[in-house]
Amino acid sequence: MSAETDTSWDEDVRVAVYRAFAEHGRPPTAPELADAAHGSLAVAKQALHRLAERRHLVLDECEHVVLAHPFAAIPLGFSVMGERTLWWGGCAWDAFAIPHLVKGEPEVLVSTRCRGCGEPQALMVNDRTPPKGGLVAHFLVPVARMWDDVVHTCANQSLFCGESCVDEWLAETGQDKGYVMDLATLWRLAAGWYDGRLDHGYTRRDPAAAAAYFEQAGLSGPFWH
């Protein structure tokens, strides 16, 4: 079996990963991965590494899928509960994206804590209108550096009670302010970002298309370049 032939199965493996998360709230099992690569777990693992290199997913040192945005295999501060499935949301962005991507769950309960004061927060998020409330999202890492350490990036896209909690948390941690947005802007950012990711033939946006998407969501400036 040539490497070239193996590469042709990458898309089947990618879809298997995303659909396992979408349908079951977890990464695919070894047999499910093998099935996606026509019975070969070794070929599936090779595909996972190529997919990680192309930023379709994130692996840990044991070749386990940690992130397949908007889904996470590890807790990063958000739980997302639908009628039938419970997910870890990788971040505020991803938690808000799940009801837009998983059409069988058009409304979910997003639960987290304010990163600043620790106050529990729960929001009903759907694919029709932004949730109400005065919470804000703070993104620490600018777009150009988000993939330098994507787990760190996701862990620092958080919800806060308000901008005063953001400022207090930044002062306590000694970090520079990133970008603060309201819930409506976060919802617009999440709404269409992952369109098509559960289907064959998905392609990631190039930088120009990403910039246009951010601008349409109401996000501009150096942080989003």
PDB file of all heavy atoms in Angstrom, residues 41-53:
ATOM      1  N   LEU A  41      -5.830   0.372  11.286  1.00  0.00           N
ATOM      2  CA  LEU A  41      -5.621   1.394  12.305  1.00  0.00           C
ATOM      3  C   LEU A  41      -4.308   2.133  12.053  1.00  0.00           C
ATOM      4  O   LEU A  41      -4.219   3.348  12.289  1.00  0.00           O
ATOM      5  CB  LEU A  41      -5.608   0.760  13.698  1.00  0.00           C
ATOM      6  CG  LEU A  41      -5.442   1.721  14.880  1.00  0.00           C
ATOM      7  CD1 LEU A  41      -6.554   2.766  14.894  1.00  0.00           C
ATOM      8  CD2 LEU A  41      -5.405   0.952  16.190  1.00  0.00           C
ATOM      9  N   ALA A  42      -3.294   1.442  11.557  1.00  0.00           N
ATOM     10  CA  ALA A  42      -2.013   2.090  11.271  1.00  0.00           C
ATOM     11  C   ALA A  42      -2.175   3.181  10.218  1.00  0.00           C
ATOM     12  O   ALA A  42      -1.627   4.288  10.349  1.00  0.00           O
ATOM     13  CB  ALA A  42      -0.986   1.054  10.814  1.00  0.00           C
ATOM     14  N   VAL A  43      -2.942   2.880   9.175  1.00  0.00           N
ATOM     15  CA  VAL A  43      -3.184   3.884   8.129  1.00  0.00           C
ATOM     16  C   VAL A  43      -3.982   5.054   8.700  1.00  0.00           C
ATOM     17  O   VAL A  43      -3.722   6.217   8.386  1.00  0.00           O
ATOM     18  CB  VAL A  43      -3.912   3.233   6.935  1.00  0.00           C
ATOM     19  CG1 VAL A  43      -4.415   4.305   5.966  1.00  0.00           C
ATOM     20  CG2 VAL A  43      -2.982   2.269   6.208  1.00  0.00           C
ATOM     21  N   ALA A  44      -4.949   4.751   9.568  1.00  0.00           N
ATOM     22  CA  ALA A  44      -5.749   5.810  10.185  1.00  0.00           C
ATOM     23  C   ALA A  44      -4.876   6.731  11.025  1.00  0.00           C
ATOM     24  O   ALA A  44      -5.035   7.954  10.993  1.00  0.00           O
ATOM     25  CB  ALA A  44      -6.851   5.197  11.041  1.00  0.00           C
ATOM     26  N   LYS A  45      -3.924   6.166  11.768  1.00  0.00           N
ATOM     27  CA  LYS A  45      -3.047   6.996  12.599  1.00  0.00           C
ATOM     28  C   LYS A  45      -2.131   7.866  11.744  1.00  0.00           C
ATOM     29  O   LYS A  45      -1.852   9.017  12.086  1.00  0.00           O
ATOM     30  CB  LYS A  45      -2.238   6.117  13.543  1.00  0.00           C
ATOM     31  CG  LYS A  45      -3.077   5.536  14.679  1.00  0.00           C
ATOM     32  CD  LYS A  45      -2.226   4.798  15.696  1.00  0.00           C
ATOM     33  CE  LYS A  45      -3.068   4.352  16.885  1.00  0.00           C
ATOM     34  NZ  LYS A  45      -2.249   3.667  17.907  1.00  0.00           N
ATOM     35  N   GLN A  46      -1.682   7.322  10.626  1.00  0.00           N
ATOM     36  CA  GLN A  46      -0.886   8.142   9.701  1.00  0.00           C
ATOM     37  C   GLN A  46      -1.723   9.313   9.190  1.00  0.00           C
ATOM     38  O   GLN A  46      -1.246  10.448   9.088  1.00  0.00           O
ATOM     39  CB  GLN A  46      -0.397   7.287   8.540  1.00  0.00           C
ATOM     40  CG  GLN A  46       0.635   6.241   8.934  1.00  0.00           C
ATOM     41  CD  GLN A  46       0.895   5.235   7.818  1.00  0.00           C
ATOM     42  OE1 GLN A  46       0.345   5.352   6.721  1.00  0.00           O
ATOM     43  NE2 GLN A  46       1.720   4.244   8.106  1.00  0.00           N
ATOM     44  N   ALA A  47      -2.997   9.030   8.892  1.00  0.00           N
ATOM     45  CA  ALA A  47      -3.893  10.081   8.426  1.00  0.00           C
ATOM     46  C   ALA A  47      -4.103  11.142   9.507  1.00  0.00           C
ATOM     47  O   ALA A  47      -4.139  12.342   9.218  1.00  0.00           O
ATOM     48  CB  ALA A  47      -5.234   9.481   8.007  1.00  0.00           C
ATOM     49  N   LEU A  48      -4.228  10.703  10.762  1.00  0.00           N
ATOM     50  CA  LEU A  48      -4.406  11.666  11.851  1.00  0.00           C
ATOM     51  C   LEU A  48      -3.247  12.647  11.924  1.00  0.00           C
ATOM     52  O   LEU A  48      -3.442  13.849  12.130  1.00  0.00           O
ATOM     53  CB  LEU A  48      -4.549  10.935  13.187  1.00  0.00           C
ATOM     54  CG  LEU A  48      -5.843  10.162  13.436  1.00  0.00           C
ATOM     55  CD1 LEU A  48      -5.779   9.467  14.787  1.00  0.00           C
ATOM     56  CD2 LEU A  48      -7.060  11.088  13.381  1.00  0.00           C
ATOM     57  N   HIS A  49      -2.030  12.141  11.744  1.00  0.00           N
ATOM     58  CA  HIS A  49      -0.862  13.024  11.802  1.00  0.00           C
ATOM     59  C   HIS A  49      -0.868  14.025  10.646  1.00  0.00           C
ATOM     60  O   HIS A  49      -0.531  15.196  10.834  1.00  0.00           O
ATOM     61  CB  HIS A  49       0.423  12.196  11.794  1.00  0.00           C
ATOM     62  CG  HIS A  49       0.734  11.593  13.123  1.00  0.00           C
ATOM     63  ND1 HIS A  49       1.321  12.305  14.153  1.00  0.00           N
ATOM     64  CD2 HIS A  49       0.514  10.338  13.615  1.00  0.00           C
ATOM     65  CE1 HIS A  49       1.477  11.526  15.211  1.00  0.00           C
ATOM     66  NE2 HIS A  49       0.990  10.332  14.913  1.00  0.00           N
ATOM     67  N   ARG A  50      -1.255  13.573   9.463  1.00  0.00           N
ATOM     68  CA  ARG A  50      -1.321  14.513   8.337  1.00  0.00           C
ATOM     69  C   ARG A  50      -2.414  15.556   8.561  1.00  0.00           C
ATOM     70  O   ARG A  50      -2.248  16.734   8.244  1.00  0.00           O
ATOM     71  CB  ARG A  50      -1.555  13.749   7.029  1.00  0.00           C
ATOM     72  CG  ARG A  50      -0.346  12.954   6.550  1.00  0.00           C
ATOM     73  CD  ARG A  50      -0.548  12.408   5.149  1.00  0.00           C
ATOM     74  NE  ARG A  50      -1.584  11.393   5.106  1.00  0.00           N
ATOM     75  CZ  ARG A  50      -1.378  10.086   5.273  1.00  0.00           C
ATOM     76  NH1 ARG A  50      -0.146   9.631   5.514  1.00  0.00           N
ATOM     77  NH2 ARG A  50      -2.368   9.223   5.198  1.00  0.00           N
ATOM     78  N   LEU A  51      -3.531  15.124   9.121  1.00  0.00           N
ATOM     79  CA  LEU A  51      -4.616  16.065   9.414  1.00  0.00           C
ATOM     80  C   LEU A  51      -4.190  17.082  10.462  1.00  0.00           C
ATOM     81  O   LEU A  51      -4.550  18.259  10.385  1.00  0.00           O
ATOM     82  CB  LEU A  51      -5.853  15.298   9.880  1.00  0.00           C
ATOM     83  CG  LEU A  51      -6.542  14.458   8.798  1.00  0.00           C
ATOM     84  CD1 LEU A  51      -7.533  13.483   9.437  1.00  0.00           C
ATOM     85  CD2 LEU A  51      -7.254  15.344   7.783  1.00  0.00           C
ATOM     86  N   ALA A  52      -3.418  16.634  11.440  1.00  0.00           N
ATOM     87  CA  ALA A  52      -2.913  17.562  12.460  1.00  0.00           C
ATOM     88  C   ALA A  52      -1.949  18.566  11.835  1.00  0.00           C
ATOM     89  O   ALA A  52      -1.973  19.755  12.179  1.00  0.00           O
ATOM     90  CB  ALA A  52      -2.232  16.789  13.582  1.00  0.00           C
ATOM     91  N   GLU A  53      -1.108  18.107  10.917  1.00  0.00           N
ATOM     92  CA  GLU A  53      -0.181  19.012  10.241  1.00  0.00           C
ATOM     93  C   GLU A  53      -0.933  20.083   9.449  1.00  0.00           C
ATOM     94  O   GLU A  53      -0.467  21.222   9.328  1.00  0.00           O
ATOM     95  CB  GLU A  53       0.735  18.224   9.304  1.00  0.00           C
ATOM     96  CG  GLU A  53       1.758  17.364  10.034  1.00  0.00           C
ATOM     97  CD  GLU A  53       2.497  16.428   9.086  1.00  0.00           C
ATOM     98  OE1 GLU A  53       2.221  16.488   7.861  1.00  0.00           O
ATOM     99  OE2 GLU A  53       3.333  15.634   9.566  1.00  0.00           O
TER     100      GLU A  53
END
